[in-house]
Amino acid sequence: RQISLGADSVLRDPVRPEVLAEYLAKYLSRAKHPGRKKAPARAGQSFHFAGGSVYSLERRLTHGGRRASLTPREVQLAELLSESRGEIVTYATLYDEILGSRFRGDTSNMRVLLAKLDASFRSVGLSVRACIHVTPKTGYCYSPRPRL
């Protein structure tokens, strides 16, 4: 229970099999995407997402001469979806990489973050929702071309 709540070490004598299994599950889940978190942002790094240009370090979105500020988590969501173009990014991955927590079945935090990202894009005349397919209880799939 303590490991699932976020403890890095639990003092138990003797070590019980379920504690060891929790440790293994925790560290194996981090090993699935070893390079994604580690990539450092470079000065001036930008990428195209849903028709706009996102500048990671400045947390800025531009399109057609219009600008909007993004929160750090909005930038992380856009980066993660952009890197996984055409593939479903599971809620487990989204929660782990963006919120730093385990997904427990409640998708409301990601829905709020996606709505916030969409509002930022709408302020410059774009729509993120047109490019993201939501698979219920599974995750999000980004496709650069809007669905008709």
Side-chain angles (χ1 to χ4, degrees):
R1 180 175 177 271
Q2 292 171 340
I3 293 169
S4 65
L5 291 174
D8 284 329
S9 63
V10 178
L11 299 176
R12 289 240 189 240
D13 190 28
V15 174
R16 296 188 335 217
E18 59 271 12
V19 173
L20 184 59
E22 280 291 325
Y23 270 118
L24 290 174
K26 178 180 177 180
Y27 292 108
L28 289 176
S29 70
R30 289 183 183 171
K32 288 180 185 175
H33 304 288
R36 193 177 286 161
K37 275 185 171 180
K38 310 284 190 256
R42 291 181 206 91
Q45 178 182 4
S46 69
F47 61 97
H48 295 287
F49 183 74
S53 295
V54 177
Y55 295 86
S56 300
L57 291 178
E58 296 94 11
R59 295 190 328 248
R60 180 172 41 97
L61 165 67
T62 62
H63 172 70
R66 298 169 77 182
R67 300 172 71 174
S69 294
L70 301 173
T71 66
R73 286 188 174 165
E74 285 177 290
V75 172
Q76 285 179 310
L77 178 59
E79 283 178 340
L80 186 56
L81 291 173
S82 180
E83 290 171 1
S84 304
R85 180 173 302 171
E87 299 174 9
I88 292 178
V89 180
T90 65
Y91 283 115
T93 301
L94 291 165
Y95 273 69
D96 179 47
E97 298 214 10
I98 296 172
L99 302 178
S101 65
R102 182 183 286 177
F103 175 61
R104 300 188 188 281
D106 180 17
T107 62
S108 60
N109 289 336
M110 263 323 123
R111 283 195 321 262
V112 169
L113 183 57
L114 181 60
K116 188 166 177 45
L117 182 64
D118 188 51
S120 295
F121 270 76
R122 286 187 184 278
S123 73
V124 296
L126 297 170
S127 174
V128 168
R129 297 244 186 208
C131 300
I132 296 176
H133 175 71
V134 179
T135 305
K137 298 295 181 187
T138 304
Y140 300 152
C141 180
Y142 168 67
S143 174
R145 292 189 174 172
R147 297 179 185 272
L148 301 175

